[in-house]
Amino acid sequence: MNADILKERNNSTVNLDHMKNFLGRILYGSEERFHELMNLRDRMVSKIRPISDENFYNLDRDEKYEIIYRKSLEIFDFLKENNISPDSPDINKLGIIGAVLGPEKILFTLHTAAFKVSIDLWGTEEQVKHWHSIMNSNYVVGTYIQTEIGHGTFVRGLETTATYNKKTQEFILNCPTLTSIKFWPGTAGITANFAIVMAKLIIDDKDYGVQAFVVQLRNLQDHKHMPGVETGDIGKKGGFESHDNGYVKFTNVRIPLLNMLAKNACVHPDGRFEKTGSELIMYACMLLLRAGLCSFGNCLLSLSITIAVRYSAVRRQTSNLEGIEPQIIEYQTQQYRIFQSLSTTYAYFFASNYLVKHIINVKNITNNFALIKPADLGKLHAISAGLKAQTFNSCLRFAQINRLCCGGHGYSAASGLIPIIQEADAGCTYEGDNVVLLLQTARYLLKCAQKGISPHLEFSFQSELKKSSLYKFFQAYFDIYHTLYDQLISEISGRMFSLVNETGLTEYQAWNECTVQLVQIAKLYVSIFIIWCSLSDINSNVDKNNQEALTELFELFVLYEITEDYSTNIMRLSVVDADQMKNFSERLYLLLKKVRQNAVVLVDSFNYLDSNLCSALGAHDGNVYEKLFDFARNSKFNQKEVHDGYTNILKPYFHRKKLRSHL
């Protein structure tokens, strides 16, 4: 064990076991479930070799794909042997599967999180029974196909068509234009053999909107394409090297009437179209996916800050007056950067887990969202869209900052930070571009303002929390957030009204003129949600010393937001004055010293194994340089003492030069 990191752990006031149990209760519902799953994780790692032991980040893309494919199957088999469903929300959390796959995703994520969920939510009882029977008796790998080369967030603009043929009682799928070719769906390139496909329903030349269809992509016997189906991998991307994001083109692909998921809308054999349920359920499926993405993004952030904090405790640089190189965690500039990431990680942890539990609870009490009220769905859509956007905005921002805080070694794949940055980068655009999602949240906020109703989620714990000393401590901060929100939404509403009624702009033009402000109000709305969730959890059954450490960390998060993210509008709208803002900054600097004492144990509390991190810099024992050197030695460039480049290129080049010199 490295002496510096051992000292950090010994000097901390945080009770590590209690903090692990506290976070485990939040994540899994109870300490018993937490320990049960950690035991499962440890047994899984002992049986399935983690990618951290496979020299994974020195491998080529084909090799990475095969490793992830094989280990995904091994994980599925292991879970079934232990009577656990692979699509259990607990299992899909990164800490379990991530013990084998690190920050990489299991290859069948869309099969469990989108393909099966869509069938269960959008299919009739007959269809659910039919497709589950097929899945159970065949090797089915499903995916979800919506995005096209020319169309993403604007679902109504999708061009892929499903035209109903009354004579044969079939749908005929076509991608009639270049821009209608499906693009980006995960595992659609070479892996999946079935898919949920979103396409415009056409009956007698009339467009009935986008509907969901189950389509077989490949033969179950030899994995070759079904007639009229063309799929392929889209090539190298900025990340996700082990996954085959694909393109899919349909040319007169025939599927039976049963294949249109008909819980909410159906086509009768004679071609008559009928709405049979609420269209709201189509959107409810996205709630589960986005809530899960919030948790996933936060897990990525917690991995990156664990690496950065541990390395900062081990790395020494630039001698002081005594000629001793201090740990870089001693430098205020280092603390200022990484502790913002640490405080954000904890705050978003509390918020994302509350959202997941809340949406699952709503799903259960509304009969799989069938009975959900439009107003409740609107509120859940607003907060899930906004939190997904802000989670990945923060994840990308801080993963990159954490990389920079690890200096040159942070740029090595051995740091484990590069794939996290790549995943976070992709997360800012998949399942909804972050800016577009924030604007969707803002649209909801404007509607609430126009109706004179509160957009904020009502919490069952709210009245009890307001009685606590913790709430009273943070009440002044709360007042700043709520005052700023009220003033901003009033300002934006007034400006849009003026643009329409006095300037003569259309509502669309007025909206476009205010979108920068609208994104700001959406972010603030998400922050208010995060504050309530965080304070509720910190106020719960927590060890006294741990609660003090969490309170300091959360106050630091709030002060960063006030002095950095929202300071311009706070000062412009005179929510606080310059002296108050100065006091906030000084308080922030004081908290850096307090958080510094507990930083290492706070990241230890995430309970990650080294195989979760896949990082030489973030190793639990702090033996960074030994692991960096091992990684370097394992580079594929080093397999031969004399590389083929010398034999095939440099040696002949010198030989030719030598011959010419004798001529």
Side-chain angles (χ1 to χ4, degrees):
M1 179 75 69
N2 177 278
D4 285 329
I5 206 164
L6 183 61
K7 182 183 70 175
E8 295 294 325
R9 290 174 175 135
N10 290 336
N11 290 342
S12 174
T13 64
V14 169
N15 184 312
L16 178 59
D17 288 336
H18 286 183
M19 188 68 85
K20 284 182 179 180
N21 288 333
F22 166 66
L23 298 182
R25 284 200 309 272
I26 294 172
L27 201 55
Y28 300 112
S30 69
E31 287 184 28
E32 291 75 18
R33 180 63 172 162
F34 165 61
H35 288 293
E36 177 186 334
L37 288 169
M38 291 303 99
N39 178 266
L40 178 82
R41 176 198 68 178
D42 295 344
R43 286 189 288 114
M44 184 187 297
V45 173
S46 68
K47 186 171 183 179
I48 306 172
R49 192 181 184 196
I51 66 168
S52 56
D53 294 340
E54 298 270 16
N55 196 30
F56 187 79
Y57 292 117
N58 273 321
L59 301 180
D60 299 326
R61 189 174 173 221
D62 280 351
E63 295 172 308
K64 289 180 179 179
Y65 169 75
E66 290 187 7
I67 283 178
I68 296 298
Y69 203 160
R70 184 172 64 251
K71 293 190 185 300
S72 296
L73 291 172
E74 290 175 351
I75 289 171
F76 263 45
D77 286 343
F78 176 84
L79 294 176
K80 289 177 181 177
E81 289 169 7
N82 287 272
N83 299 315
I84 296 176
S85 172
D87 51 356
S88 164
D90 288 344
I91 293 303
N92 284 322
K93 291 184 171 70
L94 198 68
I96 308 297
I97 292 175
V100 173
L101 298 183
E104 301 290 320
K105 284 184 177 180
I106 197 167
L107 197 62
F108 311 126
T109 299
L110 284 178
H111 176 79
T112 56
F115 180 75
K116 289 180 66 177
V117 169
S118 297
I119 289 173
D120 291 343
L121 289 181
W122 300 341
T124 63
E125 288 186 19
E126 177 191 4
Q127 287 176 320
V128 171
K129 184 177 180 181
H130 171 76
W131 291 112
H132 274 270
S133 174
I134 290 177
M135 283 187 278
N136 292 334
S137 57
N138 296 279
Y139 176 61
V140 170
V141 178
T143 186
Y144 180 89
I145 298 178
Q146 177 171 299
T147 302
E148 299 171 353
I149 289 183
H151 301 89
T153 308
F154 183 52
V155 178
R156 284 176 296 160
L158 295 179
E159 295 180 85
T160 299
T161 58
T163 304
Y164 184 63
N165 185 318
K166 298 178 187 177
K167 292 181 180 179
T168 61
Q169 296 183 13
E170 293 175 313
F171 298 103
I172 304 172
L173 271 69
N174 275 291
C175 294
T177 63
L178 173 64
T179 50
S180 68
I181 296 171
K182 299 295 188 180
F183 215 78
W184 280 108
T187 67
I190 58 177
T191 307
N193 47 26
F194 274 81
I196 300 294
V197 177
M198 305 303 289
K200 287 194 301 185
L201 171 62
I202 307 295
I203 305 174
D204 294 332
D205 297 324
K206 183 178 178 180
D207 183 350
Y208 286 89
V210 175
Q211 305 294 334
F213 301 86
V214 184
V215 182
Q216 187 171 353
L217 304 177
R218 292 175 179 269
N219 193 299
L220 290 171
Q221 281 69 49
D222 56 16
H223 204 59
K224 290 185 177 180
H225 289 121
M226 298 298 289
V229 176
E230 178 189 349
T231 75
D233 179 76
I234 64 170
K236 290 200 71 172
K237 310 169 288 287
F240 292 95
E241 282 197 322
S242 61
H243 284 244
D244 56 317
N245 293 79
Y247 66 83
V248 184
K249 182 180 180 182
F250 300 109
T251 305
N252 296 324
V253 175
R254 294 177 175 270
I255 59 173
L257 183 60
L258 179 68
N259 286 36
M260 175 177 155
L261 297 179
K263 186 173 185 178
N264 309 304
C266 73
V267 177
H268 293 277
D270 62 2
R272 182 166 46 92
F273 177 79
E274 180 186 4
K275 288 189 176 181
T276 52
S278 172
E279 293 180 348
L280 298 179
I281 298 179
M282 298 291 283
Y283 300 99
C285 179
M286 192 59 72
L287 292 178
L288 289 169
L289 187 57
R290 286 201 178 128
L293 285 175
C294 293
S295 291
F296 175 65
N298 184 255
C299 284
L300 291 175
L301 183 52
S302 64
L303 290 171
S304 76
I305 189 57
T306 299
I307 294 166
V309 166
R310 286 179 179 172
Y311 182 66
S312 297
V314 170
R315 178 72 171 183
R316 289 177 171 270
Q317 192 161 300
T318 310
S319 62
N320 57 22
L321 294 176
E322 289 77 34
I324 298 172
E325 289 186 285
Q327 300 160 272
I328 60 175
I329 200 171
E330 293 286 359
Y331 294 110
Q332 188 187 60
T333 50
Q334 187 80 350
Q335 294 172 6
Y336 188 84
R337 293 188 292 172
I338 63 173
F339 294 167
Q340 184 174 14
S341 176
L342 179 60
S343 64
T344 301
T345 303
Y346 265 82
Y348 278 68
F349 171 85
F350 298 133
S352 62
N353 281 286
Y354 177 85
L355 182 62
V356 169
K357 291 174 185 176
H358 184 68
I359 290 178
I360 290 175
N361 182 56
V362 171
K363 174 178 177 286
N364 292 336
I365 64 177
T366 59
N367 188 25
N368 274 348
F369 300 114
L371 303 177
I372 192 170
K373 297 176 182 177
D376 292 336
L377 179 63
K379 191 168 288 190
L380 286 178
H381 170 70
I383 194 61
S384 63
L387 186 61
K388 181 270 174 183
Q390 280 298 85
T391 298
F392 277 95
N393 281 340
S394 298
C395 185
L396 177 59
R397 174 188 173 193
F398 291 119
Q400 178 64 14
I401 288 173
N402 291 335
R403 202 289 291 167
L404 294 172
C405 286
C406 291
H409 290 324
Y411 194 64
S412 167
S415 72
L417 291 166
I418 304 304
I420 295 173
I421 293 171
Q422 292 169 336
E423 293 256 13
D425 196 358
C428 290
T429 48
Y430 65 56
E431 304 306 333
D433 175 89
N434 283 358
V435 172
V436 175
L437 290 180
L438 287 168
L439 288 173
Q440 289 179 9
T441 300
R443 189 177 296 279
Y444 169 78
L445 301 180
L446 270 182
K447 288 180 180 178
C448 289
Q450 291 165 356
K451 295 177 181 178
I453 60 176
S454 171
H456 302 294
L457 203 65
E458 295 178 6
F459 302 96
S460 58
F461 56 74
Q462 207 159 332
S463 58
E464 192 65 30
L465 179 60
K466 285 185 176 181
K467 300 175 185 176
S468 68
S469 58
L470 184 68
Y471 176 82
K472 292 172 183 175
F473 177 80
F474 279 96
Q475 188 166 3
Y477 295 129
F478 255 115
D479 291 343
I480 291 172
Y481 278 85
H482 281 285
T483 301
L484 179 61
Y485 180 87
D486 292 341
Q487 291 197 31
L488 270 180
I489 196 70
S490 177
E491 181 182 63
I492 295 169
S493 299
R495 185 178 177 215
M496 290 189 69
F497 181 86
S498 175
L499 288 170
V500 172
N501 292 281
E502 297 177 16
T503 312
L505 297 184
T506 65
E507 289 188 5
Y508 173 82
Q509 290 170 328
W511 168 270
N512 191 48
E513 288 292 317
C514 296
T515 47
V516 172
Q517 289 175 288
L518 287 164
V519 167
Q520 292 171 347
I521 194 70
K523 290 179 178 179
L524 183 59
Y525 170 72
V526 172
S527 290
I528 291 171
F529 172 79
I530 291 170
I531 288 176
W532 278 108
C533 296
S534 298
L535 281 186
S536 172
D537 283 332
I538 295 171
N539 192 54
S540 61
N541 186 21
V542 188
D543 173 271
K544 182 180 178 181
N545 287 339
N546 290 359
Q547 187 177 61
E548 183 178 347
L550 288 171
T551 301
E552 291 169 351
L553 189 65
F554 182 63
E555 187 183 5
L556 188 64
F557 167 78
V558 171
L559 287 170
Y560 274 119
E561 290 209 324
I562 289 174
T563 60
E564 286 194 2
D565 298 342
Y566 304 128
S567 59
T568 299
N569 284 320
I570 286 173
M571 298 298 291
R572 181 177 63 81
L573 296 171
S574 301
V575 178
V576 304
D577 59 28
D579 287 339
Q580 287 175 295
M581 191 63 77
K582 179 185 176 184
N583 290 337
F584 288 148
S585 294
E586 290 176 350
R587 175 65 179 166
L588 188 154
Y589 300 144
L590 176 64
L591 284 170
L592 292 178
K593 297 177 182 178
K594 293 178 176 291
V595 171
R596 183 253 177 277
Q597 182 180 5
N598 294 313
V600 168
V601 177
L602 285 170
V603 298
D604 286 349
S605 299
F606 296 133
N607 203 37
Y608 288 130
L609 303 176
D610 281 353
S611 58
N612 285 102
L613 301 172
C614 295
S615 171
L617 307 189
H620 185 270
D621 63 14
N623 293 326
V624 169
Y625 304 120
E626 296 89 339
K627 292 176 173 60
L628 271 174
F629 191 43
D630 286 342
F631 183 86
R633 280 179 159 168
N634 285 322
S635 169
K636 292 183 74 174
F637 269 37
N638 300 328
Q639 290 179 345
K640 297 179 181 179
E641 183 177 0
V642 178
H643 193 274
D644 290 344
Y646 172 80
T647 306
N648 299 332
I649 300 171
L650 188 60
K651 187 176 179 180
Y653 173 78
F654 280 134
H655 182 66
R656 290 194 302 272
K657 295 278 280 187
K658 187 175 181 181
L659 285 176
R660 282 198 294 269
S661 68
H662 287 295
L663 292 177

